[in-house]
Amino acid sequence: MATKNIFSKHLPNVKLATRREDEEQKRKEQDIIDTLVGAGYYRAHIQGLSSFDKIVGGMTWCIEACDYDVNVDLLFHENLTIGQKIALTEKIVGVLPRMKCPFLIEPHQIQGLDFINIFPVVQWLVKRSVENRSKKADTLRKLAATQFQNHGTLESDRELQRLRAKQLANLQAIESKYLPKRGFKVRKAAGGGWIPVRPKDVADQETTEGALEDVLEADVDEEEGEEDVSVSTEQEHNISVELTEADRSTLAKTYDDMKQTLSGEANEQVSERNRIKAQLALKLALEKKLELALAECEQLKTTVQEEEQQLKEAGSQKEALEEEIRNLDNLEITEANQKILDHVKELVLKNERMKKQETQFKENCKKELAELQQKIDKAETSTPDEDMLELQRQLDMELERLKSLRLQLAKKNRSYVAIKRQLDTVPDRTELAQYQRRFLELYNQVSAKHRETKQFYTLYNTLDDTKLYLEKELSLLNSIYDNYANAMQTPHSREQFVQQFETIVEGIRATKAKLKKKCDDERAKRDGLNGQLVCLMEQQRKYATTVKQLTMECQRNEALMQHLKALKASTQQQQQQ
C-alpha cells in the first residue's frame, strides 16, 4: 500500500487534451498549419509549440493583418487553465463579427481544438489577410511612384531637358547673330528738332564732298557767303549736299579765274572781306545761341512754375492723406477690417517682391545679353585655328576639373560606404523586434526542454526511491520468512520476534510520516510557486498591453509631427509667395 502511494504521487503531471484523435481531425489540423504557413505565418512550423498556440497565434496574426485590433498576448504557456484559454479565445471570436465573417465559431471549440469547425474560419481569415496585404502593397507602390516623380527624374527625361536647353541656346545664338540693321538713325540738331542721319560710310563720303565745295565757294561775294554759312551748318549736322558734275566744273573754273585775276591788294581786300564775313557769321551764330538760351531759360521758368504747382498739389494731397491716415488710425479696427488690412499688407509685400524680382531678372538678362554679345563678337573675329586652340584649352581644363570631381566623388563614396556599414551594423527597431521574438521562441523551447528534463529526473528519482523501498520491503519479508520457523519454536523467541516485528512497524510508520510531511511541504511550495506564476503572467500580459499602447502612441506622435512639419512647410511657401 505504501509503495503504491509513493509511486502514484510521483507520476508525471501531464494533462492530455480531450479531443478526437480520428483521421479527419488530424487531416484538418495539418491543413490549417499548411494554410497558415502558406500565408506567411512561419511560426506554425515550430515543433515545440502546441496546436492551441499555433492556431490562436495564426488567427491573431491574420486579424491584425486585416487592420483589426485584438488585445491578445501571443506568448502562450502550457499551464494555462481552461478558463484562461476560453477568455483568450473570446477576444478573438469577438472580433470576427466586426470583420463580417460568414462562419460562426464558439470559444470552447477553439479551446477544445475542434479542427473541423476551425478550418473554414482560418481559411477565410487567410484569404482576407492576403487580399488586404495586396491592397496595401498596391497603395505603397503607387505612393512610392508618386514620391519618385516628385523628387527624382529618369535619365530619358534629363536627356530630353538637356536637348531642349541646347536647342534653345542655338536659337538664341542665331537670333542674336542675325539682328536687323538700321538704314537711318535720328539725331538732335543744334537748333532744335530731329533730323535723319545716314550710316557712317555714306556720311563720310558726303562730308568730303561738302568740304571741297566749302573750299571752292570761300572767295565768292557776300551773298554767296551766306550760302557758305548754311553749307557749313549743314555739314556740322551731317546734312548731305548733292552737286552735279557740271556745277563742280563751273565752280572750279570760276575759282581758277578769280585766283589769276586777283592781285596783292585784291588779295588783302579779299582777306579783309573774309575776316568781316567770319565775324558776321560768328555774330549770327552767337545771336542764334543767345536766342536759344533765352528760349531755354523761358522754358525752364515755365517748368519751374509747373513743378512748384505740382509740389503744392503734392503737399496738399500729402496733408489730406495724413489726415485720412489719422482718421483711419482713430477708427476701431474690427476683425473683418483687420483681415482686409492683413491681406492688403500681404499684397503690398508681394508687389514689392515682384518688383525686386523683375529688376533682378532684367539685370540678369542684360548681363547674359552682354556675355552672349561678347561671345558672338569673339566668335566672328576668331579664326578656326584659334577656335580649336581655345576649345582644346577648355577641354583640358574641363578634363582636369572632371578628374578632381571624380576624386572628390570617390572620397565621398568611400565615406558614405563606411557610414552605411556602421549604420548597417546597428540593428533597427524591426530587427530588434525580430531578435526579441526569436529569443523568446528559443527561450520557450529551452524552457520546455528544461521542464521535460526535470520531469524525467523527477520520474527517475521517484522510481529509484520506489525501487529502494521495494528492495527494503522484499528483504524485510525474506528475513521474516526465514526467521519465522525458528522464532515459533519457543515462547521466548516468539515474544522476541513479535517485539522485533513491532519495532519494524514503528520504523515504517515513522518513515511514512516523514515522507508525508515532506510531500505536504513540496505541495505547499508548488502551490506558492503557482500563485507567483499566475501573478507574473498577469503582469506580463499587462506589460505587453502597455507596450502595445505605447507603440501606438509613438506612431501617432510621429504622424502628428509629420503633419506639423507639412503645415509649417506649406505656411512658409505661402509666405514666400
Side-chain angles (χ1 to χ4, degrees):
M1 182 65 68
T3 303
K4 184 177 180 181
N5 290 335
I6 293 172
F7 183 78
S8 62
K9 71 182 180 181
H10 284 286
L11 288 174
N13 187 12
V14 179
K15 295 182 181 180
L16 301 176
T18 59
R19 63 177 182 271
R20 293 179 298 174
E21 295 292 336
D22 55 351
E23 294 296 329
E24 184 67 20
Q25 289 283 0
K26 291 183 179 179
R27 187 166 62 253
K28 291 296 182 183
E29 180 183 6
Q30 188 62 34
D31 292 339
I32 290 171
I33 293 173
D34 294 337
T35 303
L36 292 174
V37 172
Y41 185 71
Y42 299 105
R43 192 168 181 264
H45 261 318
I46 300 174
Q47 299 294 332
L49 299 178
S50 62
S51 300
F52 177 80
D53 192 350
K54 294 178 182 178
I55 291 171
V56 174
M59 293 177 71
T60 306
W61 178 76
C62 293
I63 291 171
E64 289 185 350
C66 295
D67 296 333
Y68 285 86
D69 190 13
V70 187
N71 189 10
V72 173
D73 184 11
L74 295 179
L75 303 176
F76 304 106
H77 300 280
E78 295 180 357
N79 53 2
L80 289 176
T81 62
I82 296 175
Q84 290 174 343
K85 289 183 179 179
I86 292 176
L88 191 64
T89 53
E90 282 177 354
K91 297 178 181 179
I92 299 174
V93 174
V95 182
L96 295 177
R98 288 190 290 158
M99 298 178 66
K100 298 180 181 180
C101 181
F103 304 99
L104 297 177
I105 193 169
E106 297 297 331
H108 63 83
Q109 292 177 339
I110 301 174
Q111 186 272 330
L113 299 179
D114 190 1
F115 298 112
I116 296 175
N117 294 320
I118 295 172
F119 177 71
V121 178
V122 173
Q123 193 175 13
W124 183 83
L125 286 174
V126 168
K127 184 178 178 182
R128 182 77 179 273
S129 65
V130 170
E131 291 176 356
N132 193 26
R133 283 189 292 173
S134 64
K135 289 180 182 178
K136 281 185 178 180
D138 294 337
T139 305
L140 290 174
R141 192 179 297 109
K142 291 178 181 178
L143 179 62
T146 305
Q147 293 297 326
F148 176 78
Q149 290 177 1
N150 292 333
H151 300 288
T153 55
L154 297 175
E155 184 64 29
S156 59
D157 296 337
R158 290 196 292 270
E159 186 66 27
L160 183 60
Q161 291 177 0
R162 287 195 294 269
L163 182 60
R164 287 179 179 175
K166 186 176 180 181
Q167 291 176 354
L168 183 61
N170 293 333
L171 289 175
Q172 291 178 354
I174 292 171
E175 289 178 357
S176 61
K177 187 174 182 180
Y178 296 100
L179 294 174
K181 295 184 179 180
R182 293 180 179 273
F184 289 90
K185 293 184 180 180
V186 178
R187 182 178 296 177
K188 188 174 181 181
W194 298 88
I195 57 174
V197 181
R198 289 193 179 184
K200 185 177 180 181
D201 51 355
V202 179
D204 293 339
Q205 182 179 358
E206 292 179 353
T207 303
T208 306
E209 294 176 355
L212 180 60
E213 292 172 357
D214 185 61
V215 173
L216 293 174
E217 294 178 357
D219 298 325
V220 296
D221 55 359
E222 187 172 356
E223 295 177 359
E224 292 175 351
E226 295 178 356
E227 295 178 358
D228 185 51
V229 173
S230 63
V231 171
S232 63
T233 306
E234 291 176 352
Q235 289 177 357
E236 287 179 358
H237 301 299
N238 293 329
I239 300 175
S240 60
V241 180
E242 296 181 358
L243 295 175
T244 61
E245 294 292 334
D247 294 336
R248 293 176 183 174
S249 61
T250 303
L251 290 174
K253 186 177 181 182
T254 304
Y255 178 75
D256 293 336
D257 294 338
M258 290 178 65
K259 189 176 181 180
Q260 291 176 2
T261 55
L262 288 175
S263 60
E265 295 179 357
N267 289 332
E268 292 179 359
Q269 293 177 359
V270 169
S271 61
E272 184 68 22
R273 188 183 299 171
N274 289 335
R275 187 176 61 79
I276 294 170
K277 286 192 292 183
Q279 291 178 357
L280 291 173
L282 180 60
K283 180 181 178 182
L284 291 174
L286 291 175
E287 289 178 355
K288 190 176 291 185
K289 287 182 180 180
L290 180 60
E291 291 176 358
L292 291 174
L294 292 174
E296 187 175 0
C297 181
E298 293 293 333
Q299 187 177 1
L300 290 175
K301 287 181 179 180
T302 306
T303 305
V304 169
Q305 292 177 358
E306 293 177 357
E307 293 293 334
E308 289 178 353
Q309 186 67 26
Q310 291 179 1
L311 181 61
K312 291 179 181 179
E313 293 177 357
S316 60
Q317 187 176 3
K318 179 181 177 184
E319 291 177 357
L321 290 174
E322 288 178 353
E323 184 67 24
E324 186 176 359
I325 290 170
R326 285 194 295 271
N327 294 330
L328 290 174
D329 291 336
N330 294 328
L331 289 176
E332 183 179 1
I333 299 175
T334 61
E335 186 176 358
N337 294 334
Q338 185 65 34
K339 290 182 180 179
I340 294 171
L341 182 60
D342 294 338
H343 184 63
V344 170
K345 288 181 179 179
E346 291 179 359
L347 292 177
V348 171
L349 293 175
K350 187 176 180 181
N351 186 19
E352 292 178 357
R353 287 196 298 269
M354 294 296 292
K355 287 182 179 179
K356 291 181 180 179
Q357 291 177 2
E358 183 181 1
T359 305
Q360 292 178 359
F361 179 73
K362 287 182 179 180
E363 291 178 356
N364 293 330
C365 290
K366 289 180 181 179
K367 290 180 181 179
E368 291 179 359
L369 179 62
E371 292 177 358
L372 293 174
Q373 189 65 36
Q374 290 179 0
K375 290 182 180 179
I376 291 170
D377 297 338
K378 187 176 181 181
E380 289 178 352
T381 56
S382 61
T383 59
D385 295 335
E386 292 178 355
D387 293 339
M388 288 297 295
L389 293 174
E390 182 66 21
L391 291 174
Q392 186 65 32
R393 187 179 64 80
Q394 293 180 1
L395 179 61
D396 295 337
M397 292 174 63
E398 292 296 330
L399 289 174
E400 291 293 332
R401 184 168 172 269
L402 178 62
K403 186 176 179 181
S404 62
L405 290 176
R406 283 180 176 175
L407 292 175
Q408 294 178 4
L409 180 61
K411 291 180 181 179
K412 293 289 184 182
N413 288 332
R414 286 196 295 271
S415 60
Y416 168 74
V417 171
I419 294 172
K420 187 176 180 182
R421 287 176 180 174
Q422 292 177 2
L423 291 175
D424 292 338
T425 55
V426 178
D428 56 359
R429 187 175 297 175
T430 306
E431 293 177 350
L432 290 175
Q434 291 179 358
Y435 291 153
Q436 184 181 8
R437 289 196 293 270
R438 296 298 178 268
F439 279 127
L440 288 174
E441 293 173 0
L442 180 61
Y443 172 75
N444 291 330
Q445 292 180 1
V446 172
S447 177
K449 193 68 176 177
H450 179 66
R451 190 182 300 109
E452 184 180 2
T453 305
K454 286 180 67 176
Q455 290 176 358
F456 284 137
Y457 272 100
T458 304
L459 179 60
Y460 176 78
N461 293 330
T462 303
L463 293 176
D464 188 42
D465 293 339
T466 303
K467 178 184 175 183
L468 179 62
Y469 288 122
L470 287 174
E471 287 178 354
K472 288 182 179 180
E473 184 178 0
L474 182 61
S475 63
L476 181 61
L477 291 175
N478 289 331
S479 175
I480 292 171
Y481 179 75
D482 293 337
N483 297 325
Y484 182 76
N486 296 326
M488 293 299 154
Q489 291 180 3
T490 61
H492 179 70
S493 59
R494 188 184 304 161
E495 185 179 358
Q496 189 177 3
F497 178 75
V498 172
Q499 291 178 356
Q500 291 178 358
F501 195 77
E502 289 177 355
T503 303
I504 291 171
V505 170
E506 290 293 333
I508 291 172
R509 288 176 179 175
T511 304
K512 181 181 178 181
K514 184 178 179 181
L515 291 176
K516 186 176 181 180
K517 183 180 179 181
K518 184 178 180 181
C519 182
D520 293 337
D521 293 339
E522 292 294 332
R523 189 179 288 111
K525 186 177 179 181
R526 184 196 65 185
D527 295 337
L529 291 175
N530 285 332
Q532 292 180 3
L533 180 60
V534 171
C535 294
L536 291 174
M537 289 175 63
E538 187 66 25
Q539 290 181 1
Q540 187 178 11
R541 290 192 183 93
K542 291 181 180 179
Y543 173 75
T545 304
T546 306
V547 169
K548 188 173 182 180
Q549 292 177 358
L550 179 62
T551 304
M552 293 174 63
E553 292 298 328
C554 290
Q555 293 176 358
R556 182 182 176 187
N557 186 20
E558 290 179 358
L560 291 174
M561 290 298 292
Q562 293 293 333
H563 184 63
L564 182 60
K565 289 181 181 178
L567 289 176
K568 288 183 178 179
S570 62
T571 305
Q572 291 179 359
Q573 290 180 0
Q574 290 178 1
Q575 290 178 358
Q576 290 178 359
Q577 291 178 356

